[in-house]
């Protein structure tokens, strides 16, 4: 079974703090993704990575950065958290040669910025 | 207008009912289509892929209509355990693959 884990299920941070969200997958997948999910808006892609040290902006990268130093680990960084970044953050991975492009998701981190 | 649109619902149906969801997409370069299921407070999981020829998995049938640019999901003989949010997912390749999620349709199946 593919397993994607995220460092925290719930996180509360103050405005202006630097926030690190970590994601680890155990299936040797090339592709990893960070999404945020908000009611009525669905999942929106923040960043993705198709290889170690490679990253691509998604639809809403502003206010976020990412790091992928190892294949199994993809980190999302909020440089200076703001209240509009309160959301559910979901990490996912997929294998480059998976013809169905199935994405396997982690359990999510519910971040509240006060 | 969103690139992938779904009726948010909620759909409230009794056990045993047949229910259908539609999802429309606007970009004709879209090439792969899926339905994901998301239980309350859980992560999304792949339910099934959608092909032009249609595909069936037990009580679930998915169809793709490229001409009208929509996909559908039919659930027969609904069970209580089918209560979830169903996400339509479209992948297009326009200078690189892009995955677009619909906002989801909520289903409640009641006894």
């Amino acid at each position: 079974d593919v397993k994607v884990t995220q460092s925290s299920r719930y996180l509360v941070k103050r405005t202006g703090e630097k926030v690190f969200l970590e994601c680890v997958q155990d299936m040797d997948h090339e592709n990893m993704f960070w999404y945020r999910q908000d009611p009525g808006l669905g999942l929106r892609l923040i960043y993705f990575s198709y290889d170690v040290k490679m990253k691509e902006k998604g639809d809403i990268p502003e206010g976020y950065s990412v790091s992928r130093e190892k294949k199994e680990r993809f980190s999302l960084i909020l440089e200076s958290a703001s209240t509009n970044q309160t959301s559910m953050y979901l990490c996912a991975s997929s294998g480059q040669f998976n013809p169905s492009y199935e994405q396997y998701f982690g359990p999510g981190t519910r971040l509240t910025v006060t | 207008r969103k690139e992938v649109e779904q009726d948010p619902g909620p759909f409230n149906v009794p056990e045993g009912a047949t229910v259908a969801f539609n999802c429309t997409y606007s970009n004709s370069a879209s090439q792969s289509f899926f339905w994901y299921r998301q239980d309350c407070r859980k992560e999304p999981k792949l339910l099934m892929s959608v092909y032009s020829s249609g595909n069936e998995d037990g009580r679930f049938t998915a169809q793709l209509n490229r001409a009208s640019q929509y996909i559908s999901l039919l659930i027969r003989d609904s069970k209580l355990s089918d209560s979830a949010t169903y996400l339509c997912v479209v992948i297009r390749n326009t200078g690189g693959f892009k995955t677009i999620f619909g906002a989801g349709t909520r289903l409640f199946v009641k006894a």
Side-chain angles (χ1 to χ4, degrees), chain A residues 16-48:
Chain A
E17 279 193 81
K18 192 167 185 176
V19 181
F20 293 87
L21 303 182
E22 293 227 310
C23 174
V24 178
Q25 50 95 3
D26 66 358
M27 282 301 293
D28 201 35
H29 281 168
E30 282 80 7
N31 303 321
M32 295 188 75
F33 308 83
W34 274 108
Y35 295 90
R36 63 177 282 176
Q37 185 174 29
D38 301 287
L41 297 177
L43 277 79
R44 292 180 290 165
L45 183 64
I46 303 170
Y47 268 97
F48 68 98

PDB file of all heavy atoms in Angstrom, chain A residues 16-48:
ATOM      1  N   GLY A  16       2.417  36.001  10.630  1.00  0.00           N
ATOM      2  CA  GLY A  16       3.812  36.400  10.530  1.00  0.00           C
ATOM      3  C   GLY A  16       4.804  35.286  10.817  1.00  0.00           C
ATOM      4  O   GLY A  16       5.997  35.416  10.498  1.00  0.00           O
ATOM      5  N   GLU A  17       4.349  34.196  11.404  1.00  0.00           N
ATOM      6  CA  GLU A  17       5.249  33.081  11.692  1.00  0.00           C
ATOM      7  C   GLU A  17       5.633  32.353  10.404  1.00  0.00           C
ATOM      8  O   GLU A  17       4.873  32.328   9.432  1.00  0.00           O
ATOM      9  CB  GLU A  17       4.582  32.069  12.624  1.00  0.00           C
ATOM     10  CG  GLU A  17       4.603  32.433  14.085  1.00  0.00           C
ATOM     11  CD  GLU A  17       4.215  31.246  14.958  1.00  0.00           C
ATOM     12  OE1 GLU A  17       5.091  30.396  15.214  1.00  0.00           O
ATOM     13  OE2 GLU A  17       3.043  31.170  15.362  1.00  0.00           O
ATOM     14  N   LYS A  18       6.795  31.736  10.419  1.00  0.00           N
ATOM     15  CA  LYS A  18       7.220  30.868   9.319  1.00  0.00           C
ATOM     16  C   LYS A  18       6.719  29.461   9.642  1.00  0.00           C
ATOM     17  O   LYS A  18       6.904  28.976  10.760  1.00  0.00           O
ATOM     18  CB  LYS A  18       8.731  30.889   9.193  1.00  0.00           C
ATOM     19  CG  LYS A  18       9.256  30.247   7.911  1.00  0.00           C
ATOM     20  CD  LYS A  18      10.733  30.577   7.694  1.00  0.00           C
ATOM     21  CE  LYS A  18      11.228  30.052   6.368  1.00  0.00           C
ATOM     22  NZ  LYS A  18      12.633  30.448   6.083  1.00  0.00           N
ATOM     23  N   VAL A  19       6.069  28.843   8.674  1.00  0.00           N
ATOM     24  CA  VAL A  19       5.436  27.550   8.916  1.00  0.00           C
ATOM     25  C   VAL A  19       6.007  26.513   7.949  1.00  0.00           C
ATOM     26  O   VAL A  19       6.152  26.782   6.750  1.00  0.00           O
ATOM     27  CB  VAL A  19       3.908  27.643   8.709  1.00  0.00           C
ATOM     28  CG1 VAL A  19       3.247  26.298   8.996  1.00  0.00           C
ATOM     29  CG2 VAL A  19       3.299  28.727   9.598  1.00  0.00           C
ATOM     30  N   PHE A  20       6.344  25.353   8.480  1.00  0.00           N
ATOM     31  CA  PHE A  20       6.844  24.241   7.661  1.00  0.00           C
ATOM     32  C   PHE A  20       5.843  23.089   7.712  1.00  0.00           C
ATOM     33  O   PHE A  20       5.497  22.623   8.788  1.00  0.00           O
ATOM     34  CB  PHE A  20       8.192  23.742   8.200  1.00  0.00           C
ATOM     35  CG  PHE A  20       9.311  24.721   8.058  1.00  0.00           C
ATOM     36  CD1 PHE A  20       9.534  25.671   9.033  1.00  0.00           C
ATOM     37  CD2 PHE A  20      10.146  24.690   6.954  1.00  0.00           C
ATOM     38  CE1 PHE A  20      10.582  26.589   8.915  1.00  0.00           C
ATOM     39  CE2 PHE A  20      11.194  25.589   6.823  1.00  0.00           C
ATOM     40  CZ  PHE A  20      11.408  26.547   7.804  1.00  0.00           C
ATOM     41  N   LEU A  21       5.419  22.642   6.557  1.00  0.00           N
ATOM     42  CA  LEU A  21       4.597  21.446   6.471  1.00  0.00           C
ATOM     43  C   LEU A  21       5.399  20.402   5.711  1.00  0.00           C
ATOM     44  O   LEU A  21       5.908  20.670   4.626  1.00  0.00           O
ATOM     45  CB  LEU A  21       3.279  21.734   5.728  1.00  0.00           C
ATOM     46  CG  LEU A  21       2.387  22.839   6.297  1.00  0.00           C
ATOM     47  CD1 LEU A  21       1.115  22.965   5.483  1.00  0.00           C
ATOM     48  CD2 LEU A  21       2.050  22.582   7.757  1.00  0.00           C
ATOM     49  N   GLU A  22       5.497  19.209   6.315  1.00  0.00           N
ATOM     50  CA  GLU A  22       6.310  18.173   5.686  1.00  0.00           C
ATOM     51  C   GLU A  22       5.455  17.015   5.200  1.00  0.00           C
ATOM     52  O   GLU A  22       4.448  16.657   5.799  1.00  0.00           O
ATOM     53  CB  GLU A  22       7.335  17.652   6.678  1.00  0.00           C
ATOM     54  CG  GLU A  22       8.380  18.681   7.063  1.00  0.00           C
ATOM     55  CD  GLU A  22       9.785  18.117   7.018  1.00  0.00           C
ATOM     56  OE1 GLU A  22       9.984  17.037   7.609  1.00  0.00           O
ATOM     57  OE2 GLU A  22      10.664  18.753   6.406  1.00  0.00           O
ATOM     58  N   CYS A  23       5.919  16.425   4.109  1.00  0.00           N
ATOM     59  CA  CYS A  23       5.226  15.305   3.503  1.00  0.00           C
ATOM     60  C   CYS A  23       6.247  14.247   3.104  1.00  0.00           C
ATOM     61  O   CYS A  23       7.289  14.583   2.522  1.00  0.00           O
ATOM     62  CB  CYS A  23       4.469  15.794   2.270  1.00  0.00           C
ATOM     63  SG  CYS A  23       3.680  14.489   1.302  1.00  0.00           S
ATOM     64  N   VAL A  24       5.952  12.995   3.427  1.00  0.00           N
ATOM     65  CA  VAL A  24       6.847  11.895   3.086  1.00  0.00           C
ATOM     66  C   VAL A  24       6.035  10.783   2.425  1.00  0.00           C
ATOM     67  O   VAL A  24       4.962  10.425   2.902  1.00  0.00           O
ATOM     68  CB  VAL A  24       7.547  11.347   4.349  1.00  0.00           C
ATOM     69  CG1 VAL A  24       8.445  10.166   3.988  1.00  0.00           C
ATOM     70  CG2 VAL A  24       8.363  12.430   5.021  1.00  0.00           C
ATOM     71  N   GLN A  25       6.580  10.249   1.310  1.00  0.00           N
ATOM     72  CA  GLN A  25       5.923   9.106   0.650  1.00  0.00           C
ATOM     73  C   GLN A  25       6.912   7.951   0.562  1.00  0.00           C
ATOM     74  O   GLN A  25       8.119   8.163   0.442  1.00  0.00           O
ATOM     75  CB  GLN A  25       5.399   9.499  -0.743  1.00  0.00           C
ATOM     76  CG  GLN A  25       6.377  10.209  -1.645  1.00  0.00           C
ATOM     77  CD  GLN A  25       7.131   9.320  -2.613  1.00  0.00           C
ATOM     78  OE1 GLN A  25       6.900   8.112  -2.678  1.00  0.00           O
ATOM     79  NE2 GLN A  25       8.040   9.921  -3.383  1.00  0.00           N
ATOM     80  N   ASP A  26       6.363   6.750   0.611  1.00  0.00           N
ATOM     81  CA  ASP A  26       7.232   5.570   0.704  1.00  0.00           C
ATOM     82  C   ASP A  26       7.205   4.712  -0.553  1.00  0.00           C
ATOM     83  O   ASP A  26       7.601   3.544  -0.516  1.00  0.00           O
ATOM     84  CB  ASP A  26       6.857   4.746   1.940  1.00  0.00           C
ATOM     85  CG  ASP A  26       5.470   4.129   1.835  1.00  0.00           C
ATOM     86  OD1 ASP A  26       4.763   4.367   0.824  1.00  0.00           O
ATOM     87  OD2 ASP A  26       5.073   3.430   2.786  1.00  0.00           O
ATOM     88  N   MET A  27       6.721   5.263  -1.685  1.00  0.00           N
ATOM     89  CA  MET A  27       6.576   4.445  -2.888  1.00  0.00           C
ATOM     90  C   MET A  27       7.554   4.829  -3.991  1.00  0.00           C
ATOM     91  O   MET A  27       7.356   4.452  -5.141  1.00  0.00           O
ATOM     92  CB  MET A  27       5.136   4.537  -3.414  1.00  0.00           C
ATOM     93  CG  MET A  27       4.183   3.691  -2.623  1.00  0.00           C
ATOM     94  SD  MET A  27       4.644   1.933  -2.615  1.00  0.00           S
ATOM     95  CE  MET A  27       4.380   1.488  -4.337  1.00  0.00           C
ATOM     96  N   ASP A  28       8.571   5.592  -3.649  1.00  0.00           N
ATOM     97  CA  ASP A  28       9.574   5.963  -4.650  1.00  0.00           C
ATOM     98  C   ASP A  28       8.945   6.709  -5.841  1.00  0.00           C
ATOM     99  O   ASP A  28       9.396   6.588  -6.977  1.00  0.00           O
ATOM    100  CB  ASP A  28      10.306   4.707  -5.155  1.00  0.00           C
ATOM    101  CG  ASP A  28      11.662   5.036  -5.774  1.00  0.00           C
ATOM    102  OD1 ASP A  28      12.322   5.964  -5.271  1.00  0.00           O
ATOM    103  OD2 ASP A  28      12.046   4.394  -6.771  1.00  0.00           O
ATOM    104  N   HIS A  29       7.898   7.482  -5.569  1.00  0.00           N
ATOM    105  CA  HIS A  29       7.234   8.242  -6.623  1.00  0.00           C
ATOM    106  C   HIS A  29       8.060   9.453  -7.035  1.00  0.00           C
ATOM    107  O   HIS A  29       8.656  10.131  -6.184  1.00  0.00           O
ATOM    108  CB  HIS A  29       5.858   8.723  -6.142  1.00  0.00           C
ATOM    109  CG  HIS A  29       4.822   7.657  -6.192  1.00  0.00           C
ATOM    110  ND1 HIS A  29       3.584   7.797  -5.585  1.00  0.00           N
ATOM    111  CD2 HIS A  29       4.812   6.439  -6.775  1.00  0.00           C
ATOM    112  CE1 HIS A  29       2.868   6.708  -5.806  1.00  0.00           C
ATOM    113  NE2 HIS A  29       3.590   5.870  -6.517  1.00  0.00           N
ATOM    114  N   GLU A  30       8.052   9.728  -8.348  1.00  0.00           N
ATOM    115  CA  GLU A  30       8.768  10.896  -8.841  1.00  0.00           C
ATOM    116  C   GLU A  30       8.028  12.196  -8.538  1.00  0.00           C
ATOM    117  O   GLU A  30       8.630  13.204  -8.230  1.00  0.00           O
ATOM    118  CB  GLU A  30       8.965  10.794 -10.364  1.00  0.00           C
ATOM    119  CG  GLU A  30      10.077   9.862 -10.809  1.00  0.00           C
ATOM    120  CD  GLU A  30       9.680   8.396 -10.794  1.00  0.00           C
ATOM    121  OE1 GLU A  30       8.494   8.092 -10.565  1.00  0.00           O
ATOM    122  OE2 GLU A  30      10.554   7.545 -10.997  1.00  0.00           O
ATOM    123  N   ASN A  31       6.711  12.171  -8.724  1.00  0.00           N
ATOM    124  CA  ASN A  31       5.930  13.404  -8.616  1.00  0.00           C
ATOM    125  C   ASN A  31       5.345  13.596  -7.229  1.00  0.00           C
ATOM    126  O   ASN A  31       4.781  12.664  -6.644  1.00  0.00           O
ATOM    127  CB  ASN A  31       4.760  13.370  -9.611  1.00  0.00           C
ATOM    128  CG  ASN A  31       5.219  13.168 -11.036  1.00  0.00           C
ATOM    129  OD1 ASN A  31       6.232  13.724 -11.445  1.00  0.00           O
ATOM    130  ND2 ASN A  31       4.498  12.367 -11.784  1.00  0.00           N
ATOM    131  N   MET A  32       5.443  14.808  -6.728  1.00  0.00           N
ATOM    132  CA  MET A  32       4.801  15.153  -5.465  1.00  0.00           C
ATOM    133  C   MET A  32       4.127  16.503  -5.599  1.00  0.00           C
ATOM    134  O   MET A  32       4.584  17.362  -6.380  1.00  0.00           O
ATOM    135  CB  MET A  32       5.812  15.142  -4.311  1.00  0.00           C
ATOM    136  CG  MET A  32       6.387  13.754  -4.045  1.00  0.00           C
ATOM    137  SD  MET A  32       7.401  13.649  -2.568  1.00  0.00           S
ATOM    138  CE  MET A  32       6.144  13.666  -1.273  1.00  0.00           C
ATOM    139  N   PHE A  33       3.042  16.684  -4.864  1.00  0.00           N
ATOM    140  CA  PHE A  33       2.176  17.850  -5.032  1.00  0.00           C
ATOM    141  C   PHE A  33       1.771  18.408  -3.670  1.00  0.00           C
ATOM    142  O   PHE A  33       1.618  17.664  -2.703  1.00  0.00           O
ATOM    143  CB  PHE A  33       0.880  17.448  -5.746  1.00  0.00           C
ATOM    144  CG  PHE A  33       1.072  16.695  -7.029  1.00  0.00           C
ATOM    145  CD1 PHE A  33       1.299  15.321  -7.022  1.00  0.00           C
ATOM    146  CD2 PHE A  33       1.006  17.342  -8.250  1.00  0.00           C
ATOM    147  CE1 PHE A  33       1.464  14.609  -8.204  1.00  0.00           C
ATOM    148  CE2 PHE A  33       1.167  16.637  -9.441  1.00  0.00           C
ATOM    149  CZ  PHE A  33       1.402  15.275  -9.414  1.00  0.00           C
ATOM    150  N   TRP A  34       1.560  19.700  -3.632  1.00  0.00           N
ATOM    151  CA  TRP A  34       0.917  20.341  -2.485  1.00  0.00           C
ATOM    152  C   TRP A  34      -0.317  21.071  -2.974  1.00  0.00           C
ATOM    153  O   TRP A  34      -0.255  21.874  -3.919  1.00  0.00           O
ATOM    154  CB  TRP A  34       1.833  21.341  -1.792  1.00  0.00           C
ATOM    155  CG  TRP A  34       2.727  20.729  -0.767  1.00  0.00           C
ATOM    156  CD1 TRP A  34       4.071  20.521  -0.843  1.00  0.00           C
ATOM    157  CD2 TRP A  34       2.327  20.267   0.531  1.00  0.00           C
ATOM    158  NE1 TRP A  34       4.528  19.936   0.301  1.00  0.00           N
ATOM    159  CE2 TRP A  34       3.491  19.775   1.174  1.00  0.00           C
ATOM    160  CE3 TRP A  34       1.123  20.216   1.222  1.00  0.00           C
ATOM    161  CZ2 TRP A  34       3.480  19.237   2.457  1.00  0.00           C
ATOM    162  CZ3 TRP A  34       1.104  19.684   2.494  1.00  0.00           C
ATOM    163  CH2 TRP A  34       2.272  19.209   3.103  1.00  0.00           C
ATOM    164  N   TYR A  35      -1.458  20.786  -2.300  1.00  0.00           N
ATOM    165  CA  TYR A  35      -2.724  21.436  -2.582  1.00  0.00           C
ATOM    166  C   TYR A  35      -3.234  22.098  -1.314  1.00  0.00           C
ATOM    167  O   TYR A  35      -2.909  21.691  -0.205  1.00  0.00           O
ATOM    168  CB  TYR A  35      -3.789  20.414  -2.995  1.00  0.00           C
ATOM    169  CG  TYR A  35      -3.554  19.669  -4.276  1.00  0.00           C
ATOM    170  CD1 TYR A  35      -2.852  18.460  -4.287  1.00  0.00           C
ATOM    171  CD2 TYR A  35      -4.065  20.142  -5.480  1.00  0.00           C
ATOM    172  CE1 TYR A  35      -2.662  17.752  -5.463  1.00  0.00           C
ATOM    173  CE2 TYR A  35      -3.883  19.437  -6.673  1.00  0.00           C
ATOM    174  CZ  TYR A  35      -3.184  18.248  -6.646  1.00  0.00           C
ATOM    175  OH  TYR A  35      -2.994  17.538  -7.823  1.00  0.00           O
ATOM    176  N   ARG A  36      -4.126  23.060  -1.505  1.00  0.00           N
ATOM    177  CA  ARG A  36      -4.953  23.510  -0.404  1.00  0.00           C
ATOM    178  C   ARG A  36      -6.405  23.285  -0.810  1.00  0.00           C
ATOM    179  O   ARG A  36      -6.754  23.361  -1.995  1.00  0.00           O
ATOM    180  CB  ARG A  36      -4.687  24.947   0.016  1.00  0.00           C
ATOM    181  CG  ARG A  36      -4.955  26.017  -0.980  1.00  0.00           C
ATOM    182  CD  ARG A  36      -4.708  27.415  -0.388  1.00  0.00           C
ATOM    183  NE  ARG A  36      -5.792  27.873   0.473  1.00  0.00           N
ATOM    184  CZ  ARG A  36      -5.783  29.011   1.150  1.00  0.00           C
ATOM    185  NH1 ARG A  36      -4.747  29.833   1.054  1.00  0.00           N
ATOM    186  NH2 ARG A  36      -6.800  29.365   1.916  1.00  0.00           N
ATOM    187  N   GLN A  37      -7.229  22.977   0.200  1.00  0.00           N
ATOM    188  CA  GLN A  37      -8.626  22.681  -0.078  1.00  0.00           C
ATOM    189  C   GLN A  37      -9.490  23.575   0.778  1.00  0.00           C
ATOM    190  O   GLN A  37      -9.395  23.577   2.003  1.00  0.00           O
ATOM    191  CB  GLN A  37      -8.953  21.203   0.217  1.00  0.00           C
ATOM    192  CG  GLN A  37     -10.365  20.802  -0.172  1.00  0.00           C
ATOM    193  CD  GLN A  37     -10.619  19.322  -0.004  1.00  0.00           C
ATOM    194  OE1 GLN A  37     -10.032  18.657   0.840  1.00  0.00           O
ATOM    195  NE2 GLN A  37     -11.520  18.770  -0.834  1.00  0.00           N
ATOM    196  N   ASP A  38     -10.335  24.342   0.116  1.00  0.00           N
ATOM    197  CA  ASP A  38     -11.235  25.270   0.797  1.00  0.00           C
ATOM    198  C   ASP A  38     -12.655  24.998   0.328  1.00  0.00           C
ATOM    199  O   ASP A  38     -12.886  24.657  -0.836  1.00  0.00           O
ATOM    200  CB  ASP A  38     -10.839  26.713   0.479  1.00  0.00           C
ATOM    201  CG  ASP A  38      -9.418  27.027   0.904  1.00  0.00           C
ATOM    202  OD1 ASP A  38      -9.212  27.147   2.124  1.00  0.00           O
ATOM    203  OD2 ASP A  38      -8.523  27.145   0.035  1.00  0.00           O
ATOM    204  N   PRO A  39     -13.628  25.188   1.214  1.00  0.00           N
ATOM    205  CA  PRO A  39     -15.034  24.910   0.856  1.00  0.00           C
ATOM    206  C   PRO A  39     -15.460  25.677  -0.395  1.00  0.00           C
ATOM    207  O   PRO A  39     -15.213  26.879  -0.517  1.00  0.00           O
ATOM    208  CB  PRO A  39     -15.797  25.387   2.098  1.00  0.00           C
ATOM    209  CG  PRO A  39     -14.819  25.290   3.206  1.00  0.00           C
ATOM    210  CD  PRO A  39     -13.491  25.630   2.607  1.00  0.00           C
ATOM    211  N   GLY A  40     -16.090  24.959  -1.312  1.00  0.00           N
ATOM    212  CA  GLY A  40     -16.595  25.586  -2.531  1.00  0.00           C
ATOM    213  C   GLY A  40     -15.548  25.816  -3.599  1.00  0.00           C
ATOM    214  O   GLY A  40     -15.898  26.118  -4.745  1.00  0.00           O
ATOM    215  N   LEU A  41     -14.289  25.672  -3.251  1.00  0.00           N
ATOM    216  CA  LEU A  41     -13.213  25.922  -4.224  1.00  0.00           C
ATOM    217  C   LEU A  41     -12.504  24.650  -4.646  1.00  0.00           C
ATOM    218  O   LEU A  41     -11.749  24.646  -5.616  1.00  0.00           O
ATOM    219  CB  LEU A  41     -12.190  26.900  -3.639  1.00  0.00           C
ATOM    220  CG  LEU A  41     -12.711  28.294  -3.325  1.00  0.00           C
ATOM    221  CD1 LEU A  41     -11.618  29.146  -2.691  1.00  0.00           C
ATOM    222  CD2 LEU A  41     -13.234  28.978  -4.593  1.00  0.00           C
ATOM    223  N   GLY A  42     -12.699  23.582  -3.921  1.00  0.00           N
ATOM    224  CA  GLY A  42     -12.041  22.342  -4.275  1.00  0.00           C
ATOM    225  C   GLY A  42     -10.554  22.389  -3.953  1.00  0.00           C
ATOM    226  O   GLY A  42     -10.078  23.234  -3.201  1.00  0.00           O
ATOM    227  N   LEU A  43      -9.828  21.484  -4.552  1.00  0.00           N
ATOM    228  CA  LEU A  43      -8.378  21.435  -4.361  1.00  0.00           C
ATOM    229  C   LEU A  43      -7.704  22.358  -5.376  1.00  0.00           C
ATOM    230  O   LEU A  43      -7.988  22.296  -6.567  1.00  0.00           O
ATOM    231  CB  LEU A  43      -7.849  20.015  -4.580  1.00  0.00           C
ATOM    232  CG  LEU A  43      -7.945  19.060  -3.415  1.00  0.00           C
ATOM    233  CD1 LEU A  43      -9.347  18.516  -3.287  1.00  0.00           C
ATOM    234  CD2 LEU A  43      -6.955  17.910  -3.604  1.00  0.00           C
ATOM    235  N   ARG A  44      -6.823  23.191  -4.871  1.00  0.00           N
ATOM    236  CA  ARG A  44      -6.056  24.061  -5.752  1.00  0.00           C
ATOM    237  C   ARG A  44      -4.570  23.760  -5.582  1.00  0.00           C
ATOM    238  O   ARG A  44      -4.087  23.686  -4.460  1.00  0.00           O
ATOM    239  CB  ARG A  44      -6.361  25.523  -5.431  1.00  0.00           C
ATOM    240  CG  ARG A  44      -7.786  25.935  -5.800  1.00  0.00           C
ATOM    241  CD  ARG A  44      -8.038  27.391  -5.472  1.00  0.00           C
ATOM    242  NE  ARG A  44      -8.077  27.610  -4.022  1.00  0.00           N
ATOM    243  CZ  ARG A  44      -8.003  28.807  -3.454  1.00  0.00           C
ATOM    244  NH1 ARG A  44      -7.893  29.897  -4.207  1.00  0.00           N
ATOM    245  NH2 ARG A  44      -8.052  28.929  -2.157  1.00  0.00           N
ATOM    246  N   LEU A  45      -3.893  23.626  -6.707  1.00  0.00           N
ATOM    247  CA  LEU A  45      -2.490  23.238  -6.685  1.00  0.00           C
ATOM    248  C   LEU A  45      -1.608  24.424  -6.329  1.00  0.00           C
ATOM    249  O   LEU A  45      -1.668  25.473  -6.981  1.00  0.00           O
ATOM    250  CB  LEU A  45      -2.094  22.672  -8.048  1.00  0.00           C
ATOM    251  CG  LEU A  45      -0.677  22.147  -8.185  1.00  0.00           C
ATOM    252  CD1 LEU A  45      -0.445  20.949  -7.263  1.00  0.00           C
ATOM    253  CD2 LEU A  45      -0.398  21.757  -9.632  1.00  0.00           C
ATOM    254  N   ILE A  46      -0.755  24.230  -5.331  1.00  0.00           N
ATOM    255  CA  ILE A  46       0.154  25.299  -4.904  1.00  0.00           C
ATOM    256  C   ILE A  46       1.495  25.149  -5.633  1.00  0.00           C
ATOM    257  O   ILE A  46       1.961  26.063  -6.308  1.00  0.00           O
ATOM    258  CB  ILE A  46       0.376  25.244  -3.382  1.00  0.00           C
ATOM    259  CG1 ILE A  46      -0.958  25.345  -2.641  1.00  0.00           C
ATOM    260  CG2 ILE A  46       1.297  26.395  -2.941  1.00  0.00           C
ATOM    261  CD1 ILE A  46      -0.859  25.067  -1.144  1.00  0.00           C
ATOM    262  N   TYR A  47       2.107  23.992  -5.484  1.00  0.00           N
ATOM    263  CA  TYR A  47       3.372  23.667  -6.143  1.00  0.00           C
ATOM    264  C   TYR A  47       3.412  22.176  -6.411  1.00  0.00           C
ATOM    265  O   TYR A  47       2.750  21.397  -5.733  1.00  0.00           O
ATOM    266  CB  TYR A  47       4.570  23.999  -5.225  1.00  0.00           C
ATOM    267  CG  TYR A  47       5.169  25.365  -5.363  1.00  0.00           C
ATOM    268  CD1 TYR A  47       4.805  26.391  -4.493  1.00  0.00           C
ATOM    269  CD2 TYR A  47       6.134  25.632  -6.338  1.00  0.00           C
ATOM    270  CE1 TYR A  47       5.374  27.661  -4.608  1.00  0.00           C
ATOM    271  CE2 TYR A  47       6.710  26.901  -6.454  1.00  0.00           C
ATOM    272  CZ  TYR A  47       6.317  27.897  -5.589  1.00  0.00           C
ATOM    273  OH  TYR A  47       6.889  29.149  -5.690  1.00  0.00           O
ATOM    274  N   PHE A  48       4.210  21.789  -7.390  1.00  0.00           N
ATOM    275  CA  PHE A  48       4.498  20.379  -7.539  1.00  0.00           C
ATOM    276  C   PHE A  48       5.960  20.184  -7.914  1.00  0.00           C
ATOM    277  O   PHE A  48       6.660  21.132  -8.300  1.00  0.00           O
ATOM    278  CB  PHE A  48       3.552  19.701  -8.544  1.00  0.00           C
ATOM    279  CG  PHE A  48       3.733  20.123  -9.971  1.00  0.00           C
ATOM    280  CD1 PHE A  48       4.480  19.362 -10.858  1.00  0.00           C
ATOM    281  CD2 PHE A  48       3.122  21.277 -10.446  1.00  0.00           C
ATOM    282  CE1 PHE A  48       4.619  19.738 -12.183  1.00  0.00           C
ATOM    283  CE2 PHE A  48       3.249  21.663 -11.773  1.00  0.00           C
ATOM    284  CZ  PHE A  48       4.007  20.889 -12.638  1.00  0.00           C
TER     285      PHE A  48
END
